[in-house]
Amino acid sequence: MVKITEELVRKRSEHNEGIIFSLEEIALHQEDIERIENLDKWCRELKILLLQSNLIAKLENLNKLKKLEYLNLALNNITIIENLQGCESLNKLDLTINFIGKLTSVDSLKENEQLKSLFLSGNPCTDYIGYREYVLATLRQLKYLDGEKIDKSERLRAIQNYNFIKPEIIRQQNEYLDKEKKRKENLVDGIEDIDRLDDEKFWKASSTHTPETRIAIQKRIEKSRKSDNKEKEKIPKKEVKLVTNDGRILNVNEAKIDFAITDDEEHNQILLDLAVPRFMDTSLVDIDVQPLYVRAFVKGKAFQITLNEEVKPDSSTAKRSDTTGHLVLSLPKVKEMPVLAMKRQSKEIKEQNHRPQGCDIPEKGLMSCISICSIVPDRTSEELSPPYEISSVQFESPEFVDDPSVPPLI
């Protein structure tokens, strides 16, 4: 028997990061659960509870879920509607394909004033003559029954005929319950004859639609599943080869994950986009970046791709998209592109030319620093010569005679 354990609840609450006390919705379908338990203690905030396709035989331990709005228990083994009075906010109840023969048990839903939609299709009680009229007259808060809208005139007729319908419903109900009682008395140790057959005859034999048959079928399925798992364990798992014997790195996609690799020349890097499933936890992805290849393990399955150019592992980054869940790796190249190198050198030269000559002020401080380099203009050696320095003047006139006794003109 599968139980509702804390581990199971946390596993099914990944959308709430595994936190169960504030959980508002949980799906526990197809888990072979036989009993409802613990949810009223751990998940008081539940609004949606999906328990379809299990083996639950009784409605119980749900009264404390005051905020529960939608309860789905289709395809189970429930025989009576009960113990839901405490679900004050219950708006929709799905009990499709169960074994509810006691139609009068719908009376227990009278206190669920918010109940607007009820599904009982596929239950024995729906075969009773007057079934729909009885439910409409009993549960006057309903707006839909088995997916069909309830008209005011239809409800009014059902209420008017209630006193005639009810005795007939009870008669048919008692006939069904007596038949079920005799059937169960004929069971040996609660087991039908079909359950004693070997697997081959079991799947070929015809059977009745009963809770016991459904349990027997589920047990056979579980038995077959365990047998298949044992056979698979015997078969040695094929080891995925990532490197050849001579050391050559191989391209591997055991994880069967979609990817895209692009060469971002503008930023001199390689971009690798791994299409990781949106709701997969990041802890299930392990990345290893090497100069000439990238290796990843997604849920333990290998993904490996070789690179055409050498990259810098220490400068590489990985980012996860919040919307798509994709993992994007940015891998800077070791070798710089010639065009990018020229642009970088041009930029450096341009920055140097814009700096004042003879001033060692850092680049960041140029805007806030007054340059003192141009306060005194540069002078040549001629400009620094004394203004009273006497220069010899040569006159080309032949009549001129230099008299040393005459002082020079200033």
Side-chain angles (χ1 to χ4, degrees):
M1 182 177 75
V2 177
K3 293 186 177 182
I4 300 178
T5 62
E6 184 176 349
E7 181 183 1
L8 176 61
V9 175
R10 290 192 186 279
K11 177 184 175 183
R12 289 301 187 98
S13 60
E14 291 180 353
H15 58 285
N16 200 45
E17 298 181 353
I19 301 172
I20 62 176
F21 76 89
S22 62
L23 198 62
E24 294 186 355
E25 177 182 352
I26 189 169
L28 296 170
H29 56 283
Q30 297 180 333
E31 289 287 348
D32 298 339
I33 296 168
E34 296 187 25
R35 187 168 183 264
I36 303 173
E37 56 187 343
N38 297 323
L39 294 175
D40 57 332
K41 302 173 184 176
W42 301 336
C43 312
R44 296 284 183 89
E45 302 296 317
L46 273 181
K47 293 183 179 180
I48 299 175
L49 177 56
L50 307 177
L51 287 165
Q52 65 268 30
S53 300
N54 283 295
L55 300 171
I56 298 168
K58 185 178 180 179
L59 285 166
E60 58 185 339
N61 299 321
L62 293 170
N63 267 326
K64 294 181 181 179
L65 300 179
K66 305 295 182 183
K67 298 181 181 181
L68 188 64
E69 298 176 4
Y70 175 34
L71 176 60
N72 191 333
L73 280 155
L75 289 164
N76 277 281
N77 293 340
I78 295 168
T79 57
I80 298 176
I81 302 173
E82 58 185 342
N83 300 324
L84 293 175
Q85 295 88 340
C87 301
E88 301 171 356
S89 304
L90 190 62
N91 180 271
K92 182 178 179 181
L93 176 61
D94 192 342
L95 294 168
T96 304
I97 310 180
N98 275 273
F99 297 93
I100 299 172
K102 192 174 182 180
L103 184 57
T104 54
S105 64
V106 298
D107 293 18
S108 65
L109 297 174
K110 286 182 179 179
E111 298 180 23
N112 300 94
E113 298 178 357
Q114 302 300 320
L115 186 63
K116 304 301 178 188
S117 182
L118 175 64
F119 291 85
L120 290 171
S121 301
N123 284 278
C125 64
T126 60
D127 295 331
Y128 299 166
I129 298 172
Y131 148 74
R132 186 173 174 87
E133 290 84 353
Y134 179 82
V135 176
L136 298 189
T138 304
L139 303 177
R140 303 185 184 186
Q141 74 273 34
L142 283 183
K143 300 295 182 184
Y144 295 88
L145 177 60
D146 297 328
E148 295 183 17
K149 189 174 182 180
I150 301 169
D151 296 327
K152 290 183 179 179
S153 58
E154 184 184 15
R155 189 188 300 279
L156 183 60
R157 287 194 301 270
I159 293 172
Q160 291 173 346
N161 297 327
Y162 180 73
N163 291 332
F164 301 99
I165 296 170
K166 185 175 180 180
E168 182 62 20
I169 290 294
I170 293 175
R171 184 189 67 78
Q172 297 175 80
Q173 175 178 285
N174 289 337
E175 286 183 0
Y176 171 80
L177 295 177
D178 289 341
K179 186 179 178 181
E180 276 295 290
K181 184 178 180 181
K182 290 178 181 179
R183 184 187 66 80
K184 290 181 180 179
E185 288 175 352
N186 292 330
L187 298 178
V188 179
D189 297 328
I191 300 174
E192 291 186 339
D193 291 336
I194 189 175
D195 197 29
R196 296 184 175 86
L197 302 175
D198 57 39
D199 287 344
E200 185 178 354
K201 292 180 179 179
F202 177 87
W203 293 114
K204 290 181 179 179
S206 60
S207 61
T208 56
H209 183 56
T210 64
E212 291 78 14
T213 302
R214 289 192 61 189
I215 293 173
I217 291 172
Q218 191 58 45
K219 286 180 178 178
R220 293 288 176 133
I221 293 173
E222 184 63 26
K223 180 182 176 182
S224 177
R225 189 182 300 157
K226 289 180 179 178
S227 178
D228 291 342
N229 290 338
K230 287 182 179 178
E231 291 296 325
K232 288 180 180 178
E233 289 176 1
K234 291 178 182 178
I235 301 172
K237 188 178 179 180
K238 186 178 179 181
E239 186 178 353
V240 178
K241 202 169 186 178
L242 301 176
V243 184
T244 61
N245 295 332
D246 58 355
R248 184 167 55 89
I249 304 298
L250 298 175
N251 289 324
V252 178
N253 194 357
E254 183 195 11
K256 295 181 180 179
I257 188 169
D258 293 334
F259 68 96
I261 186 165
T262 55
D263 192 346
D264 185 4
E265 295 183 356
E266 183 179 353
H267 299 94
N268 195 42
Q269 63 181 356
I270 296 173
L271 297 178
L272 177 60
D273 186 338
L274 298 178
V276 176
R278 181 179 177 184
F279 296 107
M280 181 183 290
D281 195 288
T282 307
S283 62
L284 300 175
V285 183
D286 186 20
I287 302 292
D288 180 21
V289 178
Q290 296 296 329
L292 291 174
Y293 68 91
V294 176
R295 180 182 296 165
F297 288 95
V298 182
K299 293 183 71 172
K301 294 186 177 180
F303 171 89
Q304 183 170 273
I305 188 168
T306 57
L307 306 173
N308 293 330
E309 296 186 56
E310 190 175 355
V311 298
K312 303 174 183 177
D314 295 340
S315 304
S316 300
T317 59
K319 294 182 180 180
R320 184 101 184 264
S321 172
D322 292 332
T323 54
T324 63
H326 284 211
L327 185 67
V328 180
L329 305 178
S330 302
L331 314 169
K333 298 178 185 178
V334 172
K335 186 178 179 182
E336 193 171 13
M337 295 288 289
V339 176
L340 294 176
M342 290 177 63
K343 286 183 179 180
R344 181 175 56 76
Q345 291 177 3
S346 176
K347 184 178 179 181
E348 291 176 355
I349 293 171
K350 189 175 180 181
E351 290 174 352
Q352 289 177 3
N353 291 338
H354 277 79
R355 292 190 181 188
Q357 294 183 357
C359 182
D360 294 330
I361 300 171
E363 183 181 355
K364 292 182 180 179
L366 286 176
M367 297 301 294
S368 59
C369 178
I370 300 174
S371 176
I372 61 172
C373 300
S374 58
I375 294 178
V376 181
D378 293 339
R379 295 184 178 182
T380 61
S381 57
E382 293 180 355
E383 292 175 332
L384 294 176
S385 60
Y388 51 85
E389 183 178 348
I390 300 173
S391 301
S392 60
V393 181
Q394 298 287 341
F395 291 95
E396 296 180 358
S397 176
E399 299 178 355
F400 178 78
V401 178
D402 186 14
D403 188 353
S405 62
V406 178
L409 294 176
I410 298 174

